[in-house]
Amino acid sequence: MSGSGGWWRQKSTPAKVETYTRWSFHFFALIEVVSIGLPLFGEMVPWVAASLALVVAGHAVVCAVTAARALDWTLGRREQPVHMLWTLGAITAAVAVMAIVIAEHGPSGDDVDTAAGSVFAVVLIFGAGTFALGVRSRRRMYSVVTGFAVGAGLVAFAGRPGPAALISVLVVFLGGGFLAFTSAFSVWLLNAVYELDEARETRARLAVAEERLRFGRDLHDVMGRNLAVIALKSELAVQLARRGRPEAEEQMVEVQRIAQESQREVRDVVRGYREADLGVELTGAQGVLEAAGIRCEVSGEAAGLPVDVQSALGWVVREATTNVLRHGDAGRCAVDVRVTRECVVLKVENDGVAAPSGPGGSGLAGLRERLAAVDGTLEAGPVGDGVFRVVASVPLRMSEVMA
């Protein structure tokens, strides 16, 4: 697995979206430098162009740092970067004023005025869009964009005619508003992805909790009445034994019978909880995976297999489905059951494996123990670029297969 590709595949879906969002904001800083910093050298004298380009590059770096810290704040990983926001605002205002000063008092020429005007508008636009990341509500975001536009108008009116200043206000307002909207939407999308991922994990935990409650309820229903009867009959036997009554022996025989019956019923409950029907597990796995947005294809026939074989293979399907949901970023999963004269083979294959994982996990170890009870074997591991395969094989005699 290549280094760069492996680094990307190791990330979960929310982490991928976050990485994309972060580098999008960093790319905005690169666009600012490339779009207005580099063209200055063809329109101004070298020393003025170099000075202004250096200032623009510094402003772009401050925007990138502010965007990164503001994104951490929106994700709840740090406090609001208030000082960084004020620093960005001050630097943006300084660069804008510098551009106006160069346009009015620097070298003459239309190219110089155009370049300085571009610097003036673009730094205010990127400054407003980045600053909007550091505020929470829409009203404050609108206030930020409006404030940058009004500031642009005040600075422009000091050195430009009225129509040109109004155009500057409009350009800054529209451009800053667009970047602010883009920033807010990107943050909203990132938060939504994290919330959906958390909801999926919560749903899995609730399913486990519901199964535990069901098992506890079944066990209580079986044992509650029988234990109460055993306690009463044991107390009665004690009283009869103290009086020398022969009925005490009959009561203890009855207690023994109820205890043996309770033991049998508990085994039935545990067996029903631990055994898994292969057909039911295949249907359930397909439904759960497709509900999670993973395309699942099930092929083969599971009917007619011995109960113990179905139970062992059903647990393989259950564990493999859990691994697909919890690990990696699968988009496709294929489950295939093949029955021959010698054996039955179950194969589960999925893509989106984050990193190579060996067969030493506790879940796979438990499956090997279950399969060993029916003389079965288990193979699990990566088989290609981001593909993981689990193959369970159980020997089978045709006389065991029900017609």
Side-chain angles (χ1 to χ4, degrees):
M1 183 178 293
S2 61
S4 59
W7 167 80
W8 179 255
R9 280 189 289 269
Q10 288 175 6
K11 292 180 174 291
S12 62
T13 298
K16 290 178 180 178
V17 176
E18 180 180 347
T19 301
Y20 171 79
T21 304
R22 287 184 181 276
W23 283 104
S24 296
F25 290 127
H26 296 333
F27 187 66
F28 286 162
L30 180 63
I31 291 176
E32 181 179 357
V33 174
V34 173
S35 62
I36 63 173
L38 298 181
L40 295 175
F41 291 93
E43 300 173 352
M44 293 183 176
V45 294
W47 69 270
V48 176
S51 301
L52 199 54
L54 184 61
V55 171
V56 170
H59 180 267
V61 171
V62 173
C63 285
V65 174
T66 304
R69 295 187 179 181
L71 191 60
D72 287 337
W73 168 66
T74 58
L75 294 175
R77 298 173 183 171
R78 64 177 303 149
E79 296 181 355
Q80 185 179 15
V82 177
H83 297 295
M84 201 67 203
L85 293 175
W86 282 111
T87 301
L88 173 62
I91 294 178
T92 302
V95 176
V97 171
M98 180 179 177
I100 291 296
V101 171
I102 292 176
E104 295 299 323
H105 304 287
S108 60
D110 293 337
D111 292 341
V112 175
D113 292 342
T114 301
S118 299
V119 172
F120 174 80
V122 172
V123 296
L124 287 171
I125 289 173
F126 279 95
T130 305
F131 200 100
L133 272 174
V135 296
R136 184 77 70 182
S137 63
R138 294 181 182 178
R139 180 176 301 177
R140 292 183 179 180
M141 188 176 298
Y142 297 150
S143 300
V144 167
V145 175
T146 304
F148 271 81
V150 172
L154 294 176
V155 175
F157 272 117
R160 291 191 173 189
L166 289 176
I167 292 176
S168 298
V169 172
L170 183 61
V171 169
V172 172
F173 182 78
L174 294 179
F178 174 76
L179 280 183
F181 171 78
T182 302
S183 301
F185 180 77
S186 299
V187 171
W188 173 84
L189 179 62
L190 179 59
N191 286 326
V193 171
Y194 270 110
E195 290 175 0
L196 288 174
D197 186 68
E198 183 178 357
R200 186 176 68 174
E201 294 181 358
T202 302
R203 182 178 61 182
R205 289 194 298 267
L206 289 176
V208 173
E210 182 180 358
E211 182 64 16
R212 289 175 177 173
L213 289 174
R214 184 194 69 80
F215 177 72
R217 183 176 60 251
D218 292 346
L219 191 61
H220 177 270
D221 293 342
V222 169
M223 295 298 296
R225 178 184 61 83
N226 290 348
L227 288 177
V229 173
I230 289 175
L232 290 174
K233 286 188 172 293
S234 298
E235 183 179 357
L236 178 59
V238 170
Q239 297 295 331
L240 292 174
R242 287 176 178 175
R243 298 174 186 176
R245 302 284 296 275
E247 291 88 348
E249 182 180 356
E250 297 178 1
Q251 294 297 327
M252 291 307 300
V253 170
E254 183 68 12
V255 167
Q256 183 182 19
R257 185 190 65 78
I258 296 175
Q260 292 174 347
E261 182 181 353
S262 300
Q263 186 179 17
R264 179 184 57 79
E265 291 178 350
V266 169
R267 282 199 299 266
D268 292 340
V269 171
V270 174
R271 185 182 300 111
Y273 178 74
R274 296 183 62 185
E275 290 184 352
D277 182 80
L278 181 56
V280 173
E281 293 298 333
L282 289 174
T283 303
Q286 186 174 25
V288 169
L289 292 177
E290 291 184 350
I294 302 173
R295 189 175 75 256
C296 182
E297 301 175 356
V298 177
S299 58
E301 180 62 41
L305 295 175
V307 175
D308 54 349
V309 174
Q310 289 205 41
S311 177
L313 295 180
W315 272 100
V316 174
V317 174
R318 184 182 298 181
E319 180 68 21
T321 303
T322 302
N323 290 336
V324 171
L325 290 173
R326 291 183 177 177
H327 308 296
D329 186 22
R332 180 191 65 85
C333 180
V335 184
D336 180 66
V337 181
R338 288 289 179 266
V339 180
T340 66
R341 291 182 177 273
E342 294 81 14
C343 66
V344 53
V345 178
L346 170 69
K347 181 173 69 175
V348 182
E349 185 176 289
N350 66 277
D351 60 358
V353 177
S357 56
S362 59
L364 296 179
L367 292 182
R368 288 188 173 90
E369 293 178 0
R370 293 179 183 275
L371 289 171
V374 289
D375 298 327
T377 59
L378 180 72
E379 297 179 2
V383 294
D385 189 11
V387 178
F388 194 85
R389 179 183 297 166
V390 177
V391 180
S393 177
V394 179
L396 197 65
R397 295 189 301 270
M398 290 306 296
S399 58
E400 295 179 336
V401 182
M402 294 177 291

